[in-house]
């Protein structure tokens, strides 16, 4: 749920994924692309590329390629292509076929480059990469089109329209057109906050004694849609056992005990206090690391509310 920053390195790697092989491309500029019948030339280097990508790259001129591949102003792009009827210049089937050539390779590469292990939409499911054998790389991540490719086929290959997500979130929003938070443009961690609602005095030993709520921080309509589209309220209520453990740990790990543990094991088990709190809470408690382990957003927010961290 931490915003994923699209760096210049990621843009370069995206273009590299359009070609068939792991080749080093330095100082890439779109204007340096030269399209030939069986290779792509960037600067003075030639690279082979995938069949469906070949057709796509041969089809469009530089200005259209720049928009389709790397424009981060998607709303303006939609206006240009719909109101100005630029979509008449684009063969939807060619774009879709090119995407099918790209998607598995780019999904694997994207979460590697962004150091993302957890779905940025829900922070609940892993999106791991792993090596199946020496020659085949596999990933559990799916690429979600923030703007559906069925409705906006010309955005099927746009870098900023390809969101790494878990299968659950990708399929949950498939038929929902409501605008929700965008992991490349929005810091979802700062728009939503989990909180504890006490129901009765049994909260410290029974899940029936409390509830989990998700609150809007900035009264953002897209944040409200985000909760609803991905059904976050319902799915997080299934994790009350995690919250119950945090409540109990608050009573068990008082400040003196935490300080004692830190002094005893600093330099062996813990490099810093944050390491200790990750062990105690079971999740990453740093804002910058909540994309590394499922439920870290929930654990961080509730732990802060309890005063555990």
């Amino acid at each position: 749920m931490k915003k994923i920053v699209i760096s210049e390195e990621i843009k370069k790697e995206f273009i590299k994924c359009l070609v068939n092989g792991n080749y080093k491309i330095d100082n890439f500029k779109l204007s340096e692309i030269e399209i030939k019948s069986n290779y792509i030339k960037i600067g003075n280097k030639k690279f082979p590329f995938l069949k469906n990508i070949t057709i796509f790259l041969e089809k469009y001129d530089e200005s259209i390629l720049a928009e389709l591949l790397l424009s981060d102003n998607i709303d303006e792009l939609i206006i240009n292509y719909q109101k100005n009827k630029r979509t008449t210049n684009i063969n939807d089937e060619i774009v879709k076929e090119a995407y099918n050539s790209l998607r598995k390779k780019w999904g694997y590469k994207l979460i590697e480059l962004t150091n993302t292990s957890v779905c940025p939409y829900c922070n609940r499911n892993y999106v791991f990469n792993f090596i199946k054998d020496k020659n085949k790389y596999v990933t559990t991540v799916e690429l979600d089109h923030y703007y559906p490719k069925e409705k906006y086929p010309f955005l099927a290959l746009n870098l900023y329209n390809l969101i790494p997500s878990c299968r659950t979130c990708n399929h949950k929003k498939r038929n929902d057109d409501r605008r929700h938070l965008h992991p490349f443009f929005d810091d979802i961690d700062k728009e939503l906050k989990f909180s504890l609602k006490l129901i009765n005095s049994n909260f410290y030993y029974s899940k029936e004694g409390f509830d989990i709520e998700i609150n809007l921080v900035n009264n953002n309509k897209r944040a409200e849609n985000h909760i609803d589209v991905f059904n976050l309220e319902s799915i997080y209520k299934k994790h009350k056992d995690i919250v119950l453990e945090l409540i109990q740990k608050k009573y068990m790990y008082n400040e003196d005990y935490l300080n004692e543990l830190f002094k005893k094991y600093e330099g062996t088990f813990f490099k810093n206090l944050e390491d200790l709190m990750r062990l105690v809470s079971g999740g990453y408690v740093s804002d910058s690391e909540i994309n590394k382990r499922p439920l870290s957003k929930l654990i961080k927010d509730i732990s802060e509310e309890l005063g555990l961290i």
Side-chain angles (χ1 to χ4, degrees), residues 41-54:
K41 186 175 181 182
I42 301 179
N44 60 356
K45 296 181 181 179
K46 296 180 180 180
F47 308 98
F49 47 86
L50 301 174
K51 178 182 177 182
N52 292 326
I53 298 293
T54 304

Side-chain angles (χ1 to χ4, degrees), residues 45-96:
K45 296 181 181 179
K46 296 180 180 180
F47 308 98
F49 47 86
L50 301 174
K51 178 182 177 182
N52 292 326
I53 298 293
T54 304
I55 299 171
F56 172 76
L57 292 175
E58 285 180 331
K59 177 75 176 176
Y60 307 114
D61 63 34
E62 181 184 321
S63 63
I64 293 179
L65 278 174
E67 289 182 336
L68 294 180
L69 296 175
L70 297 173
S71 174
D72 60 354
N73 193 340
I74 298 180
D75 287 333
E76 182 177 325
L77 194 60
I78 290 172
I79 292 172
N80 288 341
Y81 275 74
Q82 290 184 330
K83 287 194 174 180
N84 299 330
K85 302 187 183 304
R86 292 193 66 176
T87 49
T88 56
N89 298 322
I90 297 176
N91 185 307
D92 296 348
E93 290 306 313
I94 289 177
V95 177
K96 287 179 182 178

Side-chain angles (χ1 to χ4, degrees), residues 279-292:
L279 178 67
V280 171
S281 68
Y284 282 89
V285 296
S286 165
D287 288 349
S288 63
E289 295 185 307
I290 60 174
N291 286 354
K292 291 184 177 181

Side-chain angles (χ1 to χ4, degrees), residues 61-257:
D61 63 34
E62 181 184 321
S63 63
I64 293 179
L65 278 174
E67 289 182 336
L68 294 180
L69 296 175
L70 297 173
S71 174
D72 60 354
N73 193 340
I74 298 180
D75 287 333
E76 182 177 325
L77 194 60
I78 290 172
I79 292 172
N80 288 341
Y81 275 74
Q82 290 184 330
K83 287 194 174 180
N84 299 330
K85 302 187 183 304
R86 292 193 66 176
T87 49
T88 56
N89 298 322
I90 297 176
N91 185 307
D92 296 348
E93 290 306 313
I94 289 177
V95 177
K96 287 179 182 178
E97 286 182 17
Y99 167 72
N100 288 333
S101 294
L102 173 76
R103 61 190 178 92
K104 288 186 178 180
K105 188 177 180 181
W106 180 239
Y108 185 96
K109 194 68 179 177
L110 181 58
I111 61 173
E112 179 186 83
L113 290 168
T114 57
N115 196 24
T116 299
S117 300
V118 183
C119 175
Y121 282 141
C122 68
N123 195 241
R124 181 174 175 260
N125 295 319
Y126 276 121
V127 288
F128 268 140
N129 279 344
F130 57 95
I131 300 175
K132 189 173 182 179
D133 57 44
K134 290 183 179 179
N135 300 312
K136 188 170 184 179
Y137 295 86
V138 182
T139 181
T140 58
V141 71
E142 294 193 0
L143 287 176
D144 168 57
H145 287 87
Y146 184 89
Y147 294 86
K149 63 179 181 296
E150 290 76 20
K151 187 174 182 179
Y152 306 101
F154 55 94
L155 294 175
L157 273 175
N158 182 274
L159 171 60
Y160 293 89
N161 197 37
L162 301 174
I163 314 300
S165 70
C166 67
R167 180 176 178 81
T168 301
C169 286
N170 190 21
H171 288 259
K172 197 178 290 291
K173 66 168 284 289
R174 180 157 289 179
N175 297 316
D176 199 322
D177 288 337
R178 285 175 294 175
R179 295 285 295 276
H180 51 80
L181 297 172
H182 192 304
F184 294 169
F185 301 128
D186 300 305
D187 199 335
I188 301 175
D189 179 41
K190 289 182 168 54
E191 296 290 345
L192 307 177
K193 194 167 188 66
F194 291 98
S195 65
L196 193 61
K197 179 183 179 182
L198 299 183
I199 297 174
N200 57 52
S201 59
N202 299 331
F203 68 90
Y204 62 94
Y205 66 84
S206 171
K207 292 185 290 184
E208 306 306 317
F210 65 90
D211 208 348
I212 300 171
E213 295 183 334
I214 308 179
N215 299 315
L216 301 178
V217 177
N218 299 309
N219 200 29
N220 184 332
K221 179 61 178 176
R222 289 188 299 112
E224 182 180 344
N225 288 343
H226 195 93
I227 295 171
D228 199 28
V229 168
F230 298 108
N231 200 23
L232 296 185
E233 289 272 15
S234 295
I235 64 174
Y236 270 93
K237 289 183 188 299
K238 302 297 183 182
H239 296 294
K240 292 175 73 173
D241 58 325
I242 301 294
V243 174
L244 179 59
E245 290 175 5
L246 292 173
I247 294 171
Q248 293 168 343
K249 286 173 182 177
K250 167 61 180 175
Y251 286 93
M252 293 167 58
Y253 292 87
N254 58 50
E255 187 174 350
D256 290 339
Y257 185 37

Side-chain angles (χ1 to χ4, degrees), residues 12 15-16 19 23-28 42 45 47:
K12 290 178 184 179
I15 296 299
K16 283 170 62 176
V19 305
Y23 301 97
K24 184 175 177 60
I25 299 176
D26 295 318
N27 302 318
F28 164 75
I42 301 179
K45 296 181 181 179
F47 308 98

